Amino acid sequence: MKIAIMGAMVEEITPLLEFFEKYKTIEFAKNSYYTTSYKGMDLVIAYSKIGKVNASLTASTLIEKFGAQKLLFSGVAGALNPSLKVGDLLVATKLAQHDLDITAFGHPHGYVPEGSVYVETDKALTVLAQKVASAQNIKLLEGIIATGDQFICDGVKKEWIHSTFNADATEMEGASVAVVCDALNVPFCVLRAISDAADMDAGFSFDEFLVSSAKESAQFIIAMLDEL
Ligand SMILES: Nc1ncnc2c(CN3C[C@H](CCSCCOCCO)[C@@H](O)C3)c[nH]c12
């Protein structure tokens, strides 16, 4: 079984590379892909760089070039649901693109013809994540993620995304990973640890908690590998 583990920022995969210690580096399409093995599984690890376009390229490459049969995304996110605090873990049930907008033609936000507003994640991986969470006595929220090519740090935009998509968290890569994995028929999950509240203090909170929240998400992903 070949598993891809993807992040967007180097901080989101550094904890993984440190854990696996030995890995090969393959350069491709202006990015680096790290291959290793773990408990009989082949792993390929990469961070896409920030944003939906970078994430789409990396998710497609992990599947089409490296042959990933499952894709696990690990990273941080901004909370939209007021019950989510810094350090809380969220596994996405479905994801939408909050900045995809052809409402001028009567379509809902996040929709384009022959598409759908939401893409659902793999249910078996969500069940597995909950199994790991309860074994570790960790609270894991199952929720909706709204993805867009903006760092959200404004209460008005935060509330608009929250209410328009009923989203629990926002980030900049998950929904494009979802579109790619769905189109290529690869089971995927998106796991995010909260780093900020997507409000006016988001920048400071993000800077303070990126590393610790990224580590939390990565450690949870590693625990999921043990159950795969
Ligand atoms: N509130 C928020 N709004 C949107 N996304 C997020 C995320 C999730 N990731 C973090 C990173 C933020 C992009 S700027 C990084 C700063 O670079 C620092 C070096 O210049 C991008 O990959 C999306 C955490 N909080 C968020």
mmCIF file of all heavy atoms in Angstrom, residues 8-9 12 50 76-78 150-152 170-173 192 195-196 198 202 206, ligand 1:
data_model
loop_
_atom_site.group_PDB
_atom_site.id
_atom_site.type_symbol
_atom_site.label_atom_id
_atom_site.label_comp_id
_atom_site.label_asym_id
_atom_site.label_seq_id
_atom_site.Cartn_x
_atom_site.Cartn_y
_atom_site.Cartn_z
ATOM 1 N N ALA A 8 1.046 21.750 3.459
ATOM 2 C CA ALA A 8 1.196 22.901 2.560
ATOM 3 C C ALA A 8 2.486 23.656 2.843
ATOM 4 O O ALA A 8 3.148 24.147 1.934
ATOM 5 C CB ALA A 8 0.008 23.844 2.726
ATOM 6 N N MET A 9 2.842 23.711 4.126
ATOM 7 C CA MET A 9 4.035 24.449 4.555
ATOM 8 C C MET A 9 5.078 23.485 5.093
ATOM 9 O O MET A 9 4.723 22.413 5.637
ATOM 10 C CB MET A 9 3.656 25.457 5.656
ATOM 11 C CG MET A 9 2.684 26.523 5.206
ATOM 12 S SD MET A 9 2.296 27.658 6.545
ATOM 13 C CE MET A 9 3.818 28.625 6.593
ATOM 14 N N GLU A 12 4.568 21.941 8.364
ATOM 15 C CA GLU A 12 3.523 20.922 8.519
ATOM 16 C C GLU A 12 4.064 19.519 8.247
ATOM 17 O O GLU A 12 3.488 18.529 8.692
ATOM 18 C CB GLU A 12 2.313 21.252 7.633
ATOM 19 C CG GLU A 12 1.589 22.514 8.123
ATOM 20 C CD GLU A 12 0.516 23.037 7.170
ATOM 21 O OE1 GLU A 12 0.679 22.915 5.932
ATOM 22 O OE2 GLU A 12 -0.495 23.584 7.661
ATOM 23 N N ILE A 50 1.984 27.122 -0.303
ATOM 24 C CA ILE A 50 0.672 27.654 0.094
ATOM 25 C C ILE A 50 -0.295 27.816 -1.080
ATOM 26 O O ILE A 50 0.124 28.237 -2.170
ATOM 27 C CB ILE A 50 0.880 29.021 0.799
ATOM 28 C CG1 ILE A 50 1.588 28.794 2.143
ATOM 29 C CG2 ILE A 50 -0.421 29.779 0.976
ATOM 30 C CD1 ILE A 50 2.152 30.063 2.744
ATOM 31 N N VAL A 76 -2.512 22.858 9.633
ATOM 32 C CA VAL A 76 -3.188 23.738 10.599
ATOM 33 C C VAL A 76 -4.329 24.478 9.888
ATOM 34 O O VAL A 76 -4.413 24.460 8.661
ATOM 35 C CB VAL A 76 -2.195 24.722 11.234
ATOM 36 C CG1 VAL A 76 -1.085 23.981 11.967
ATOM 37 C CG2 VAL A 76 -1.612 25.681 10.204
ATOM 38 N N ALA A 77 -5.200 25.085 10.690
ATOM 39 C CA ALA A 77 -6.345 25.793 10.099
ATOM 40 C C ALA A 77 -6.806 26.897 11.039
ATOM 41 O O ALA A 77 -6.496 26.910 12.234
ATOM 42 C CB ALA A 77 -7.502 24.825 9.851
ATOM 43 N N GLY A 78 -7.571 27.821 10.468
ATOM 44 C CA GLY A 78 -8.189 28.877 11.253
ATOM 45 C C GLY A 78 -9.591 28.447 11.658
ATOM 46 O O GLY A 78 -10.351 27.934 10.830
ATOM 47 N N GLN A 150 -6.841 32.795 0.450
ATOM 48 C CA GLN A 150 -6.663 33.975 1.308
ATOM 49 C C GLN A 150 -6.412 33.523 2.747
ATOM 50 O O GLN A 150 -7.072 32.608 3.229
ATOM 51 C CB GLN A 150 -7.944 34.834 1.330
ATOM 52 C CG GLN A 150 -8.356 35.415 0.003
ATOM 53 C CD GLN A 150 -9.867 35.483 -0.139
ATOM 54 O OE1 GLN A 150 -10.603 35.412 0.862
ATOM 55 N NE2 GLN A 150 -10.339 35.610 -1.365
ATOM 56 N N PHE A 151 -5.485 34.192 3.416
ATOM 57 C CA PHE A 151 -5.345 34.007 4.862
ATOM 58 C C PHE A 151 -6.423 34.865 5.513
ATOM 59 O O PHE A 151 -6.418 36.077 5.356
ATOM 60 C CB PHE A 151 -3.950 34.435 5.332
ATOM 61 C CG PHE A 151 -3.749 34.208 6.801
ATOM 62 C CD1 PHE A 151 -3.457 32.943 7.296
ATOM 63 C CD2 PHE A 151 -3.889 35.259 7.700
ATOM 64 C CE1 PHE A 151 -3.282 32.724 8.651
ATOM 65 C CE2 PHE A 151 -3.719 35.051 9.063
ATOM 66 C CZ PHE A 151 -3.416 33.784 9.532
ATOM 67 N N ILE A 152 -7.365 34.234 6.190
ATOM 68 C CA ILE A 152 -8.508 34.961 6.750
ATOM 69 C C ILE A 152 -8.138 35.532 8.116
ATOM 70 O O ILE A 152 -7.805 34.786 9.037
ATOM 71 C CB ILE A 152 -9.741 34.041 6.858
ATOM 72 C CG1 ILE A 152 -10.065 33.405 5.488
ATOM 73 C CG2 ILE A 152 -10.953 34.820 7.393
ATOM 74 C CD1 ILE A 152 -10.310 34.390 4.360
ATOM 75 N N THR A 170 -11.232 27.190 8.299
ATOM 76 C CA THR A 170 -10.826 27.664 6.979
ATOM 77 C C THR A 170 -9.328 27.456 6.805
ATOM 78 O O THR A 170 -8.564 27.505 7.786
ATOM 79 C CB THR A 170 -11.202 29.147 6.767
ATOM 80 O OG1 THR A 170 -10.990 29.494 5.385
ATOM 81 C CG2 THR A 170 -10.393 30.083 7.672
ATOM 82 N N GLU A 171 -8.935 27.159 5.569
ATOM 83 C CA GLU A 171 -7.513 27.011 5.246
ATOM 84 C C GLU A 171 -7.351 27.262 3.761
ATOM 85 O O GLU A 171 -8.255 27.868 3.152
ATOM 86 C CB GLU A 171 -6.981 25.627 5.668
ATOM 87 C CG GLU A 171 -7.970 24.482 5.618
ATOM 88 C CD GLU A 171 -7.991 23.780 4.270
ATOM 89 O OE1 GLU A 171 -8.154 24.425 3.230
ATOM 90 O OE2 GLU A 171 -7.866 22.562 4.258
ATOM 91 N N MET A 172 -6.239 26.852 3.151
ATOM 92 C CA MET A 172 -5.987 27.301 1.778
ATOM 93 C C MET A 172 -5.652 26.168 0.807
ATOM 94 O O MET A 172 -5.203 26.432 -0.313
ATOM 95 C CB MET A 172 -4.847 28.339 1.800
ATOM 96 C CG MET A 172 -5.215 29.580 2.607
ATOM 97 S SD MET A 172 -3.890 30.799 2.732
ATOM 98 C CE MET A 172 -3.826 31.370 1.045
ATOM 99 N N GLU A 173 -5.890 24.920 1.203
ATOM 100 C CA GLU A 173 -5.481 23.807 0.329
ATOM 101 C C GLU A 173 -6.461 22.638 0.309
ATOM 102 O O GLU A 173 -6.545 21.930 -0.695
ATOM 103 C CB GLU A 173 -4.112 23.243 0.769
ATOM 104 C CG GLU A 173 -2.977 24.231 0.674
ATOM 105 C CD GLU A 173 -2.833 25.126 1.894
ATOM 106 O OE1 GLU A 173 -3.365 24.807 2.987
ATOM 107 O OE2 GLU A 173 -2.200 26.186 1.766
ATOM 108 N N ARG A 192 -6.693 18.731 10.415
ATOM 109 C CA ARG A 192 -6.123 20.056 10.695
ATOM 110 C C ARG A 192 -6.175 20.318 12.204
ATOM 111 O O ARG A 192 -7.183 19.983 12.852
ATOM 112 C CB ARG A 192 -6.941 21.152 9.980
ATOM 113 C CG ARG A 192 -6.889 21.089 8.455
ATOM 114 C CD ARG A 192 -5.664 21.789 7.909
ATOM 115 N NE ARG A 192 -5.687 21.906 6.443
ATOM 116 C CZ ARG A 192 -4.831 22.653 5.754
ATOM 117 N NH1 ARG A 192 -3.867 23.322 6.385
ATOM 118 N NH2 ARG A 192 -4.883 22.703 4.430
ATOM 119 N N SER A 195 -4.780 26.704 14.569
ATOM 120 C CA SER A 195 -3.638 27.584 14.904
ATOM 121 C C SER A 195 -4.102 28.998 15.249
ATOM 122 O O SER A 195 -3.332 29.788 15.826
ATOM 123 C CB SER A 195 -2.684 27.669 13.704
ATOM 124 O OG SER A 195 -3.407 28.082 12.541
ATOM 125 N N ASP A 196 -5.359 29.329 14.873
ATOM 126 C CA ASP A 196 -5.826 30.701 15.091
ATOM 127 C C ASP A 196 -7.345 30.736 14.911
ATOM 128 O O ASP A 196 -7.962 29.726 14.565
ATOM 129 C CB ASP A 196 -5.161 31.662 14.088
ATOM 130 C CG ASP A 196 -5.440 31.253 12.656
ATOM 131 O OD1 ASP A 196 -4.660 30.440 12.111
ATOM 132 O OD2 ASP A 196 -6.483 31.689 12.114
ATOM 133 N N ALA A 198 -8.945 32.983 12.827
ATOM 134 C CA ALA A 198 -9.278 33.648 11.542
ATOM 135 C C ALA A 198 -9.864 35.049 11.754
ATOM 136 O O ALA A 198 -10.665 35.540 10.958
ATOM 137 C CB ALA A 198 -10.246 32.784 10.723
ATOM 138 N N ALA A 202 -5.424 36.760 14.066
ATOM 139 C CA ALA A 202 -5.014 35.482 13.446
ATOM 140 C C ALA A 202 -3.525 35.443 13.104
ATOM 141 O O ALA A 202 -2.867 34.417 13.308
ATOM 142 C CB ALA A 202 -5.845 35.214 12.202
ATOM 143 N N PHE A 206 -1.294 32.658 14.588
ATOM 144 C CA PHE A 206 -0.698 31.713 13.634
ATOM 145 C C PHE A 206 0.810 31.616 13.864
ATOM 146 O O PHE A 206 1.369 30.519 13.964
ATOM 147 C CB PHE A 206 -0.989 32.161 12.194
ATOM 148 C CG PHE A 206 -0.379 31.277 11.157
ATOM 149 C CD1 PHE A 206 -0.996 30.103 10.768
ATOM 150 C CD2 PHE A 206 0.843 31.609 10.571
ATOM 151 C CE1 PHE A 206 -0.430 29.272 9.825
ATOM 152 C CE2 PHE A 206 1.413 30.784 9.623
ATOM 153 C CZ PHE A 206 0.784 29.618 9.250
HETATM 154 N N1 LIG B 1 -6.716 32.099 9.245
HETATM 155 C C1 LIG B 1 -6.342 31.257 8.247
HETATM 156 N N2 LIG B 1 -6.779 31.483 6.983
HETATM 157 C C2 LIG B 1 -6.424 30.644 5.979
HETATM 158 N N3 LIG B 1 -5.641 29.560 6.144
HETATM 159 C C3 LIG B 1 -5.193 29.300 7.400
HETATM 160 C C4 LIG B 1 -4.370 28.272 7.925
HETATM 161 C C5 LIG B 1 -3.860 27.069 7.177
HETATM 162 N N4 LIG B 1 -2.687 27.269 6.274
HETATM 163 C C6 LIG B 1 -1.632 28.069 6.834
HETATM 164 C C7 LIG B 1 -1.052 28.872 5.715
HETATM 165 C C8 LIG B 1 -1.406 30.341 5.930
HETATM 166 C C9 LIG B 1 -0.947 31.206 4.802
HETATM 167 S S1 LIG B 1 0.086 32.540 5.295
HETATM 168 C C10 LIG B 1 1.450 31.815 6.020
HETATM 169 C C11 LIG B 1 2.433 32.868 6.429
HETATM 170 O O1 LIG B 1 3.708 32.643 5.878
HETATM 171 C C12 LIG B 1 4.755 32.986 6.763
HETATM 172 C C13 LIG B 1 6.020 33.229 5.936
HETATM 173 O O2 LIG B 1 5.868 34.441 5.210
HETATM 174 C C14 LIG B 1 -1.725 28.313 4.466
HETATM 175 O O3 LIG B 1 -0.981 27.197 3.956
HETATM 176 C C15 LIG B 1 -3.046 27.850 4.986
HETATM 177 C C16 LIG B 1 -4.215 28.537 9.261
HETATM 178 N N5 LIG B 1 -4.925 29.654 9.625
HETATM 179 C C17 LIG B 1 -5.533 30.152 8.497
#
